Amino acid sequence: MENEPTCKHLQQITTIIQPKDYVCEECIKTGDDWMHLRTCQTCGVTLCCDSSPNKHATQHYHATQHPVVISAEPGEQWLWCFKDETFGEY
């Protein structure tokens, strides 16, 4: 993230909360499919991305105002702030 603009929400992340399991915690309840997963850095819930039909991660942000998620995809190490629409890597 060197020399890239960032936001206060990304700067406040000091420990990365990793996903507990590789499932969307909402889609699994209804048997729905997902594309990619994101893990909330406030509460640790893992939910599906905006490429997925249900867009649970974005719904979670709107319901809770928890601003930062990480990609829960294997091999990816990035964060996204919904509030400031800012990307960062770790």
Coordinates of all heavy atoms in Angstrom, one line a residue:
M1 N 0.8 -1.2 0.0 CA 0.0 0.0 0.0 C 0.9 1.3 0.0 O 0.4 2.3 0.2 CB -0.9 0.0 1.2 CG -2.1 -0.9 1.1 SD -3.4 -0.9 2.4 CE -2.9 0.2 3.6
E2 N 2.1 1.1 -0.2 CA 3.0 2.3 -0.2 C 2.7 3.3 -1.2 O 2.4 3.0 -2.4 CB 4.4 1.7 -0.5 CG 5.5 2.4 0.2 CD 6.9 1.8 0.0 OE1 7.0 0.7 0.5 OE2 7.7 2.4 -0.6
N3 N 2.6 4.6 -0.8 CA 2.3 5.7 -1.6 C 0.9 5.7 -2.2 O 0.6 6.5 -3.1 CB 3.3 5.9 -2.7 CG 4.7 6.3 -2.1 OD1 4.8 6.8 -1.0 ND2 5.8 5.9 -2.7
E4 N 0.0 4.8 -1.8 CA -1.3 4.7 -2.3 C -2.2 5.4 -1.3 O -2.0 5.3 -0.1 CB -1.8 3.3 -2.5 CG -1.1 2.6 -3.6 CD -1.6 1.2 -3.8 OE1 -2.8 0.9 -3.4 OE2 -0.9 0.3 -4.3
P5 N -3.2 6.2 -1.8 CA -4.2 6.8 -0.9 C -4.9 5.7 -0.1 O -5.3 4.6 -0.7 CB -5.1 7.6 -1.8 CG -4.9 7.0 -3.1 CD -3.6 6.4 -3.2
T6 N -5.2 5.9 1.1 CA -5.9 4.9 1.9 C -6.9 5.7 2.8 O -6.9 6.9 2.8 CB -4.9 4.0 2.8 OG1 -5.7 3.0 3.3 CG2 -4.2 4.8 3.8
C7 N -7.7 5.0 3.6 CA -8.7 5.6 4.4 C -8.4 5.2 5.9 O -7.7 4.3 6.2 CB -10.1 5.2 4.0 SG -10.5 3.5 4.4
K8 N -9.1 5.9 6.8 CA -8.8 5.7 8.2 C -9.3 4.2 8.6 O -8.7 3.6 9.5 CB -9.5 6.7 9.0 CG -11.1 6.7 9.0 CD -11.7 7.7 9.9 CE -13.2 7.6 9.9 NZ -13.9 8.5 10.7
H9 N -10.3 3.7 7.9 CA -10.8 2.4 8.3 C -9.8 1.3 8.0 O -9.6 0.4 8.8 CB -12.1 2.1 7.5 CG -13.2 3.1 7.8 ND1 -13.5 4.1 6.9 CD2 -13.9 3.4 8.9 CE1 -14.4 4.9 7.4 NE2 -14.7 4.5 8.6
L10 N -9.1 1.4 6.8 CA -8.1 0.5 6.5 C -6.9 0.6 7.4 O -6.3 -0.3 7.8 CB -7.6 0.6 5.0 CG -8.7 0.2 3.9 CD1 -8.1 0.4 2.6 CD2 -9.2 -1.1 4.1
Q11 N -6.5 1.9 7.7 CA -5.4 2.1 8.6 C -5.6 1.6 10.0 O -4.7 1.2 10.7 CB -5.1 3.6 8.7 CG -4.6 4.2 7.4 CD -4.5 5.7 7.4 OE1 -5.1 6.4 8.3 NE2 -3.8 6.3 6.4
Q12 N -6.9 1.5 10.4 CA -7.2 1.0 11.8 C -7.1 -0.5 11.9 O -7.1 -1.1 13.0 CB -8.6 1.4 12.2 CG -8.7 2.9 12.4 CD -10.2 3.4 12.6 OE1 -11.1 2.7 12.3 NE2 -10.3 4.6 13.0
I13 N -7.0 -1.3 10.8 CA -6.9 -2.7 10.8 C -5.4 -3.1 11.2 O -4.5 -2.8 10.5 CB -7.2 -3.3 9.5 CG1 -8.6 -3.0 9.0 CG2 -7.0 -4.9 9.5 CD1 -9.7 -3.5 9.9
T14 N -5.3 -3.7 12.4 CA -4.0 -4.1 12.9 C -3.8 -5.6 12.9 O -2.7 -6.1 12.8 CB -3.7 -3.6 14.3 OG1 -4.7 -4.0 15.2 CG2 -3.7 -2.0 14.3
T15 N -5.0 -6.3 12.9 CA -4.9 -7.8 12.9 C -6.0 -8.3 11.9 O -7.1 -7.8 11.9 CB -5.3 -8.4 14.3 OG1 -4.4 -7.9 15.3 CG2 -5.3 -9.9 14.3
I16 N -5.6 -9.1 11.0 CA -6.5 -9.6 10.0 C -7.4 -10.8 10.6 O -6.8 -11.8 11.1 CB -5.8 -10.1 8.7 CG1 -5.0 -9.0 8.1 CG2 -6.7 -10.8 7.7 CD1 -5.8 -7.8 7.6
I17 N -8.7 -10.7 10.5 CA -9.6 -11.8 10.9 C -9.8 -12.7 9.7 O -10.4 -12.2 8.7 CB -10.9 -11.2 11.4 CG1 -10.8 -10.3 12.6 CG2 -11.9 -12.4 11.7 CD1 -12.0 -9.5 13.0
Q18 N -9.3 -13.9 9.8 CA -9.4 -14.8 8.7 C -10.7 -15.6 8.7 O -11.4 -15.6 9.8 CB -8.2 -15.9 8.7 CG -6.9 -15.3 8.6 CD -6.6 -14.8 7.2 OE1 -7.3 -15.2 6.2 NE2 -5.7 -13.8 7.0
P19 N -11.2 -16.1 7.6 CA -12.5 -16.8 7.6 C -12.4 -18.1 8.4 O -11.4 -18.7 8.5 CB -12.7 -17.1 6.1 CG -11.4 -17.0 5.5 CD -10.6 -16.1 6.3
K20 N -13.5 -18.4 9.1 CA -13.6 -19.6 9.9 C -13.8 -20.8 9.0 O -13.3 -21.9 9.3 CB -14.8 -19.5 10.9 CG -14.6 -18.5 11.9 CD -15.9 -18.5 12.8 CE -16.2 -17.1 13.4 NZ -16.9 -16.2 12.5
D21 N -14.5 -20.6 7.9 CA -14.8 -21.7 7.0 C -15.0 -21.1 5.6 O -15.3 -19.9 5.5 CB -16.1 -22.5 7.4 CG -16.1 -23.9 6.8 OD1 -15.2 -24.3 6.1 OD2 -17.1 -24.6 7.2
Y22 N -14.8 -21.9 4.5 CA -14.9 -21.4 3.2 C -16.3 -21.5 2.7 O -16.6 -22.3 1.7 CB -13.9 -22.1 2.3 CG -13.8 -21.4 0.9 CD1 -13.2 -20.2 0.7 CD2 -14.3 -22.1 -0.2 CE1 -13.1 -19.6 -0.5 CE2 -14.2 -21.5 -1.5 CZ -13.6 -20.3 -1.6 OH -13.6 -19.6 -2.8
V23 N -17.3 -20.8 3.3 CA -18.7 -20.8 2.9 C -19.3 -19.4 3.2 O -18.8 -18.7 4.1 CB -19.5 -21.8 3.7 CG1 -19.1 -23.3 3.4 CG2 -19.6 -21.6 5.2
C24 N -20.3 -19.0 2.4 CA -21.1 -17.9 2.8 C -22.0 -18.3 3.9 O -22.8 -19.2 3.7 CB -21.9 -17.3 1.5 SG -23.0 -16.0 2.0
E25 N -21.9 -17.6 5.0 CA -22.7 -18.0 6.2 C -24.2 -17.8 6.0 O -25.0 -18.4 6.7 CB -22.1 -17.3 7.4 CG -20.7 -17.7 7.8 CD -20.1 -17.1 9.0 OE1 -20.9 -16.7 9.9 OE2 -18.9 -16.8 9.0
E26 N -24.6 -17.0 5.0 CA -26.0 -16.8 4.7 C -26.5 -17.8 3.6 O -27.5 -18.4 3.7 CB -26.3 -15.4 4.4 CG -26.2 -14.4 5.6 CD -27.1 -14.8 6.7 OE1 -28.3 -15.2 6.5 OE2 -26.7 -14.7 7.9
C27 N -25.7 -17.9 2.5 CA -26.1 -18.8 1.4 C -26.2 -20.2 1.8 O -27.1 -20.9 1.4 CB -25.1 -18.7 0.3 SG -25.2 -17.1 -0.7
I28 N -25.3 -20.6 2.8 CA -25.3 -22.0 3.2 C -26.7 -22.4 3.9 O -27.1 -23.5 3.8 CB -24.1 -22.3 4.1 CG1 -23.8 -23.8 4.2 CG2 -24.3 -21.8 5.5 CD1 -23.1 -24.3 3.0
K29 N -27.3 -21.4 4.5 CA -28.6 -21.6 5.2 C -29.7 -22.0 4.2 O -30.7 -22.7 4.5 CB -29.0 -20.4 6.0 CG -28.1 -20.1 7.2 CD -28.5 -18.8 7.8 CE -27.5 -18.4 8.9 NZ -27.8 -17.1 9.5
T30 N -29.6 -21.4 3.0 CA -30.7 -21.6 2.0 C -30.3 -22.4 0.8 O -31.1 -22.6 -0.1 CB -31.1 -20.2 1.5 OG1 -30.0 -19.5 0.9 CG2 -31.7 -19.3 2.6
G31 N -29.0 -22.9 0.8 CA -28.6 -23.8 -0.3 C -28.2 -23.0 -1.5 O -28.1 -23.6 -2.6
D32 N -28.0 -21.7 -1.4 CA -27.7 -20.8 -2.6 C -26.2 -20.9 -2.9 O -25.4 -21.3 -2.1 CB -28.0 -19.4 -2.3 CG -29.5 -19.1 -2.3 OD1 -30.3 -19.9 -2.9 OD2 -30.0 -18.2 -1.7
D33 N -25.8 -20.6 -4.1 CA -24.5 -20.6 -4.6 C -23.8 -19.2 -4.5 O -24.5 -18.2 -4.4 CB -24.4 -21.0 -6.1 CG -24.8 -22.5 -6.2 OD1 -24.6 -23.3 -5.3 OD2 -25.4 -22.8 -7.3
W34 N -22.5 -19.2 -4.4 CA -21.8 -17.9 -4.3 C -20.6 -18.0 -5.3 O -20.2 -19.1 -5.7 CB -21.3 -17.6 -2.9 CG -20.5 -18.6 -2.3 CD1 -19.1 -18.8 -2.5 CD2 -20.9 -19.7 -1.5 NE1 -18.7 -19.9 -1.8 CE2 -19.7 -20.5 -1.2 CE3 -22.1 -20.1 -1.0 CZ2 -19.8 -21.6 -0.4 CZ3 -22.2 -21.3 -0.2 CH2 -21.0 -22.0 0.1
M35 N -20.1 -16.8 -5.6 CA -18.9 -16.7 -6.5 C -17.6 -16.6 -5.7 O -16.7 -17.5 -5.8 CB -19.0 -15.5 -7.4 CG -20.1 -15.6 -8.5 SD -19.7 -16.8 -9.7 CE -18.3 -16.1 -10.5
H36 N -17.5 -15.6 -4.9 CA -16.3 -15.3 -4.1 C -16.7 -14.9 -2.7 O -17.9 -14.4 -2.5 CB -15.5 -14.2 -4.7 CG -15.1 -14.4 -6.1 ND1 -14.1 -15.4 -6.5 CD2 -15.5 -13.9 -7.2 CE1 -14.0 -15.4 -7.8 NE2 -14.9 -14.5 -8.3
L37 N -15.8 -15.0 -1.7 CA -16.2 -14.8 -0.3 C -15.4 -13.6 0.3 O -14.2 -13.4 -0.1 CB -16.0 -16.0 0.5 CG -16.8 -17.2 0.1 CD1 -16.4 -18.5 0.8 CD2 -18.3 -16.9 0.4
R38 N -16.0 -12.9 1.2 CA -15.3 -11.8 1.9 C -15.6 -12.0 3.4 O -16.7 -12.4 3.8 CB -16.0 -10.5 1.5 CG -16.0 -10.3 -0.1 CD -14.7 -10.1 -0.7 NE -14.8 -10.0 -2.1 CZ -14.2 -10.8 -3.0 NH1 -13.5 -11.8 -2.6 NH2 -14.3 -10.6 -4.3
T39 N -14.6 -11.6 4.2 CA -14.7 -11.7 5.7 C -14.7 -10.4 6.3 O -13.8 -9.6 6.1 CB -13.6 -12.6 6.2 OG1 -13.7 -13.9 5.7 CG2 -13.7 -12.7 7.8
C40 N -15.7 -10.1 7.1 CA -15.9 -8.8 7.8 C -14.7 -8.7 8.8 O -14.5 -9.6 9.6 CB -17.2 -8.7 8.5 SG -17.5 -7.2 9.4
Q41 N -14.1 -7.5 8.8 CA -13.0 -7.3 9.8 C -13.5 -6.7 11.1 O -12.7 -6.5 12.0 CB -11.9 -6.4 9.1 CG -11.2 -7.1 8.0 CD -10.6 -8.4 8.4 OE1 -9.6 -8.4 9.1 NE2 -11.1 -9.6 8.0
T42 N -14.8 -6.5 11.2 CA -15.3 -6.1 12.5 C -15.8 -7.2 13.3 O -15.5 -7.4 14.5 CB -16.5 -5.0 12.3 OG1 -16.0 -3.9 11.6 CG2 -17.0 -4.6 13.6
C43 N -16.6 -8.1 12.7 CA -17.2 -9.2 13.4 C -16.8 -10.6 13.0 O -17.2 -11.6 13.6 CB -18.8 -9.1 13.4 SG -19.5 -9.4 11.7
G44 N -16.1 -10.7 11.8 CA -15.6 -12.0 11.4 C -16.5 -12.9 10.6 O -16.1 -14.0 10.2
V45 N -17.7 -12.4 10.3 CA -18.6 -13.2 9.4 C -18.1 -13.2 8.0 O -17.5 -12.3 7.5 CB -20.1 -12.6 9.4 CG1 -20.1 -11.2 8.8 CG2 -21.1 -13.5 8.8
T46 N -18.2 -14.4 7.3 CA -17.8 -14.6 6.0 C -19.1 -14.7 5.1 O -19.9 -15.5 5.3 CB -16.9 -15.8 5.8 OG1 -15.7 -15.6 6.6 CG2 -16.5 -16.1 4.4
L47 N -19.1 -13.8 4.1 CA -20.3 -13.7 3.2 C -19.9 -13.5 1.8 O -18.7 -13.3 1.4 CB -21.1 -12.5 3.6 CG -21.6 -12.5 5.1 CD1 -22.1 -11.1 5.5 CD2 -22.7 -13.5 5.3
C48 N -20.8 -13.7 0.8 CA -20.6 -13.6 -0.6 C -20.4 -12.2 -1.1 O -20.9 -11.3 -0.6 CB -21.6 -14.4 -1.3 SG -23.3 -13.8 -1.1
C49 N -19.7 -12.1 -2.2 CA -19.3 -10.8 -2.9 C -20.5 -10.3 -3.8 O -21.5 -11.0 -4.0 CB -18.1 -11.0 -3.7 SG -18.3 -12.0 -5.2
D50 N -20.2 -9.2 -4.4 CA -21.2 -8.6 -5.3 C -21.3 -9.3 -6.6 O -22.3 -9.1 -7.4 CB -20.9 -7.1 -5.6 CG -21.3 -6.2 -4.4 OD1 -21.9 -6.8 -3.4 OD2 -21.0 -5.0 -4.4
S51 N -20.4 -10.2 -7.0 CA -20.6 -11.1 -8.2 C -21.5 -12.2 -7.9 O -21.9 -12.9 -8.8 CB -19.2 -11.6 -8.6 OG -18.4 -10.5 -9.0
S52 N -21.8 -12.4 -6.7 CA -22.8 -13.5 -6.3 C -24.2 -13.0 -6.3 O -24.4 -11.8 -6.1 CB -22.4 -14.0 -4.8 OG -21.1 -14.4 -4.8
P53 N -25.2 -13.9 -6.5 CA -26.5 -13.4 -6.7 C -27.1 -12.7 -5.4 O -27.8 -11.7 -5.6 CB -27.3 -14.7 -6.9 CG -26.4 -15.7 -7.4 CD -25.0 -15.3 -6.8
N54 N -26.7 -13.1 -4.2 CA -27.3 -12.5 -3.0 C -26.5 -11.3 -2.5 O -27.1 -10.6 -1.6 CB -27.4 -13.6 -1.9 CG -28.4 -14.6 -2.3 OD1 -29.5 -14.3 -2.8 ND2 -28.0 -15.9 -2.2
K55 N -25.3 -11.1 -2.8 CA -24.4 -10.0 -2.4 C -24.5 -9.8 -0.9 O -24.7 -8.7 -0.4 CB -24.9 -8.7 -3.1 CG -24.8 -8.8 -4.6 CD -25.3 -7.6 -5.4 CE -25.2 -7.8 -6.9 NZ -25.7 -6.7 -7.6
H56 N -24.3 -10.8 -0.1 CA -24.5 -10.8 1.3 C -23.5 -9.9 2.0 O -23.8 -9.2 3.0 CB -24.5 -12.2 1.9 CG -25.7 -12.9 1.7 ND1 -25.8 -14.2 1.1 CD2 -27.0 -12.6 2.0 CE1 -27.0 -14.6 1.1 NE2 -27.8 -13.7 1.6
A57 N -22.2 -9.8 1.5 CA -21.2 -8.9 2.2 C -21.7 -7.4 2.1 O -21.6 -6.7 3.1 CB -19.9 -9.1 1.5
T58 N -22.2 -7.0 1.0 CA -22.7 -5.6 0.8 C -23.9 -5.4 1.7 O -24.1 -4.4 2.4 CB -23.0 -5.3 -0.6 OG1 -21.7 -5.3 -1.4 CG2 -23.5 -3.9 -0.8
Q59 N -24.8 -6.4 1.7 CA -26.0 -6.3 2.6 C -25.6 -6.2 4.0 O -26.2 -5.4 4.8 CB -26.9 -7.5 2.4 CG -27.6 -7.6 1.1 CD -28.5 -8.8 1.0 OE1 -29.1 -9.3 2.0 NE2 -28.7 -9.4 -0.2
H60 N -24.6 -6.9 4.4 CA -24.1 -6.9 5.8 C -23.5 -5.5 6.1 O -23.8 -4.9 7.2 CB -23.0 -7.9 6.0 CG -22.3 -7.9 7.3 ND1 -23.0 -8.4 8.5 CD2 -21.1 -7.5 7.8 CE1 -22.2 -8.3 9.5 NE2 -21.0 -7.7 9.1
Y61 N -22.8 -4.9 5.2 CA -22.3 -3.5 5.4 C -23.4 -2.5 5.6 O -23.4 -1.7 6.5 CB -21.4 -3.1 4.2 CG -21.2 -1.6 4.3 CD1 -20.5 -1.0 5.3 CD2 -21.7 -0.8 3.3 CE1 -20.3 0.4 5.3 CE2 -21.6 0.6 3.3 CZ -20.9 1.2 4.3 OH -20.7 2.6 4.4
H62 N -24.4 -2.6 4.8 CA -25.6 -1.7 4.9 C -26.4 -1.9 6.2 O -26.8 -0.9 6.8 CB -26.5 -1.8 3.7 CG -25.9 -1.2 2.4 ND1 -25.5 0.1 2.2 CD2 -25.5 -1.8 1.2 CE1 -25.0 0.3 1.1 NE2 -25.0 -0.9 0.4
A63 N -26.4 -3.1 6.6 CA -27.2 -3.4 7.9 C -26.4 -3.0 9.1 O -27.0 -2.6 10.1 CB -27.6 -4.9 7.9
T64 N -25.1 -3.1 9.1 CA -24.3 -3.0 10.3 C -23.3 -1.8 10.3 O -22.8 -1.4 11.3 CB -23.4 -4.2 10.5 OG1 -22.5 -4.3 9.4 CG2 -24.2 -5.5 10.6
Q65 N -23.0 -1.3 9.1 CA -22.0 -0.2 8.9 C -20.6 -0.7 9.3 O -19.7 0.1 9.6 CB -22.3 1.0 9.7 CG -23.6 1.7 9.2 CD -23.5 2.1 7.8 OE1 -22.7 2.9 7.4 NE2 -24.4 1.6 6.9
H66 N -20.4 -2.0 9.2 CA -19.0 -2.6 9.4 C -18.3 -2.3 8.1 O -18.6 -2.9 7.1 CB -19.0 -4.1 9.7 CG -19.6 -4.4 11.0 ND1 -19.9 -5.7 11.3 CD2 -20.0 -3.7 12.1 CE1 -20.5 -5.8 12.6 NE2 -20.5 -4.5 13.0
P67 N -17.3 -1.4 8.1 CA -16.7 -0.9 6.8 C -15.8 -1.8 6.0 O -15.7 -1.8 4.8 CB -16.1 0.4 7.2 CG -15.6 0.1 8.6 CD -16.7 -0.7 9.2
V68 N -15.0 -2.7 6.7 CA -13.9 -3.3 6.0 C -14.1 -4.8 5.9 O -14.4 -5.5 6.9 CB -12.5 -3.0 6.7 CG1 -11.3 -3.7 6.0 CG2 -12.3 -1.5 6.7
V69 N -13.8 -5.4 4.7 CA -13.7 -6.8 4.5 C -12.4 -7.2 3.9 O -11.7 -6.3 3.3 CB -14.9 -7.3 3.6 CG1 -16.2 -7.1 4.2 CG2 -14.8 -6.7 2.2
I70 N -12.0 -8.4 4.1 CA -10.9 -9.0 3.3 C -11.5 -10.0 2.3 O -12.5 -10.5 2.5 CB -9.8 -9.7 4.2 CG1 -10.4 -10.9 4.9 CG2 -9.2 -8.7 5.1 CD1 -9.4 -11.9 5.4
S71 N -10.7 -10.2 1.3 CA -11.0 -11.4 0.4 C -10.7 -12.6 1.2 O -9.7 -12.8 1.8 CB -10.1 -11.4 -0.8 OG -10.3 -12.6 -1.6
A72 N -11.7 -13.5 1.2 CA -11.5 -14.8 1.8 C -11.1 -15.9 0.8 O -11.1 -17.1 1.1 CB -12.8 -15.3 2.5
E73 N -10.7 -15.4 -0.4 CA -10.2 -16.4 -1.4 C -8.8 -16.8 -1.2 O -8.0 -15.9 -0.9 CB -10.4 -15.7 -2.8 CG -11.8 -15.4 -3.2 CD -12.7 -16.6 -3.3 OE1 -12.3 -17.6 -3.9 OE2 -13.7 -16.6 -2.7
P74 N -8.5 -18.1 -1.3 CA -7.1 -18.6 -1.1 C -6.2 -17.8 -2.0 O -6.4 -17.6 -3.2 CB -7.2 -20.0 -1.5 CG -8.7 -20.4 -1.3 CD -9.4 -19.2 -1.6
G75 N -5.1 -17.4 -1.4 CA -4.0 -16.7 -2.2 C -4.2 -15.2 -2.4 O -3.3 -14.6 -2.8
E76 N -5.3 -14.7 -2.0 CA -5.6 -13.3 -2.1 C -5.4 -12.6 -0.8 O -5.8 -13.1 0.2 CB -7.0 -13.0 -2.6 CG -7.2 -13.5 -4.1 CD -8.6 -13.1 -4.6 OE1 -9.4 -12.4 -3.9 OE2 -8.9 -13.5 -5.8
Q77 N -4.7 -11.4 -0.8 CA -4.4 -10.7 0.5 C -4.7 -9.2 0.3 O -3.9 -8.4 0.1 CB -3.0 -10.9 0.9 CG -2.7 -12.3 1.3 CD -1.3 -12.4 1.9 OE1 -0.3 -12.0 1.3 NE2 -1.2 -13.0 3.1
W78 N -6.0 -8.9 0.2 CA -6.4 -7.6 0.1 C -7.6 -7.2 0.9 O -8.4 -8.1 1.4 CB -6.7 -7.2 -1.4 CG -7.7 -8.0 -2.1 CD1 -7.4 -9.1 -2.9 CD2 -9.1 -7.9 -2.1 NE1 -8.6 -9.6 -3.4 CE2 -9.7 -8.9 -3.0 CE3 -10.0 -7.0 -1.5 CZ2 -11.0 -9.0 -3.2 CZ3 -11.4 -7.1 -1.7 CH2 -11.9 -8.1 -2.6
L79 N -7.8 -5.9 1.2 CA -8.9 -5.4 2.0 C -9.7 -4.4 1.1 O -9.2 -3.8 0.2 CB -8.4 -4.7 3.2 CG -7.4 -5.3 4.1 CD1 -6.0 -4.9 3.8 CD2 -7.7 -5.0 5.5
W80 N -11.0 -4.3 1.5 CA -11.9 -3.3 0.8 C -12.6 -2.6 1.9 O -13.2 -3.2 2.8 CB -12.8 -4.0 -0.1 CG -13.8 -3.1 -0.7 CD1 -15.2 -3.0 -0.4 CD2 -13.6 -2.1 -1.8 NE1 -15.8 -2.0 -1.2 CE2 -14.8 -1.5 -2.0 CE3 -12.5 -1.7 -2.5 CZ2 -15.0 -0.4 -3.0 CZ3 -12.6 -0.7 -3.4 CH2 -13.8 -0.1 -3.7
C81 N -12.7 -1.2 1.8 CA -13.5 -0.4 2.7 C -14.8 0.0 1.9 O -14.7 0.7 0.9 CB -12.8 0.8 3.1 SG -13.8 1.9 4.2
F82 N -15.9 -0.5 2.3 CA -17.2 -0.2 1.7 C -17.5 1.3 1.8 O -17.9 2.0 0.8 CB -18.3 -0.9 2.3 CG -18.4 -2.4 1.8 CD1 -18.1 -3.4 2.7 CD2 -18.9 -2.7 0.6 CE1 -18.2 -4.7 2.3 CE2 -19.0 -4.0 0.2 CZ -18.6 -5.0 1.0
K83 N -17.2 1.9 3.0 CA -17.6 3.3 3.2 C -16.8 4.2 2.3 O -17.4 5.2 1.7 CB -17.3 3.6 4.7 CG -17.7 5.1 5.0 CD -17.7 5.3 6.5 CE -18.1 6.7 6.9 NZ -19.5 7.0 6.6
D84 N -15.5 4.1 2.2 CA -14.7 5.0 1.4 C -14.3 4.4 0.0 O -13.6 5.1 -0.7 CB -13.4 5.3 2.2 CG -13.7 6.0 3.5 OD1 -14.6 6.9 3.5 OD2 -13.1 5.7 4.5
E85 N -14.8 3.2 -0.3 CA -14.5 2.6 -1.6 C -13.0 2.6 -1.9 O -12.5 3.0 -2.9 CB -15.3 3.2 -2.7 CG -16.8 3.1 -2.5 CD -17.6 3.6 -3.7 OE1 -17.0 4.2 -4.6 OE2 -18.8 3.4 -3.7
T86 N -12.3 2.1 -0.8 CA -10.8 2.1 -0.9 C -10.3 0.7 -0.8 O -10.8 -0.1 0.0 CB -10.2 2.9 0.3 OG1 -10.8 4.2 0.2 CG2 -8.7 3.0 0.2
F87 N -9.3 0.3 -1.6 CA -8.6 -1.0 -1.7 C -7.3 -0.9 -1.0 O -6.6 0.1 -1.1 CB -8.5 -1.3 -3.2 CG -7.7 -2.6 -3.5 CD1 -8.3 -3.8 -3.5 CD2 -6.4 -2.5 -3.7 CE1 -7.6 -4.9 -3.8 CE2 -5.6 -3.6 -4.0 CZ -6.3 -4.9 -4.0
G88 N -6.9 -2.0 -0.4 CA -5.5 -2.1 0.2 C -5.1 -3.5 0.2 O -5.9 -4.4 0.1
E89 N -3.8 -3.7 0.2 CA -3.2 -5.1 0.3 C -2.5 -5.2 1.6 O -2.1 -4.3 2.3 CB -2.2 -5.3 -0.8 CG -2.9 -5.2 -2.2 CD -1.9 -5.4 -3.4 OE1 -0.9 -4.7 -3.4 OE2 -2.2 -6.2 -4.2
Y90 N -2.4 -6.5 2.0 CA -1.6 -6.8 3.3 C -0.7 -8.0 3.0 O -0.7 -8.6 2.0 CB -2.6 -7.1 4.4 CG -3.4 -8.3 4.3 CD1 -3.0 -9.5 4.8 CD2 -4.7 -8.2 3.7 CE1 -3.8 -10.6 4.7 CE2 -5.5 -9.3 3.6 CZ -5.1 -10.5 4.1 OH -5.9 -11.6 4.0

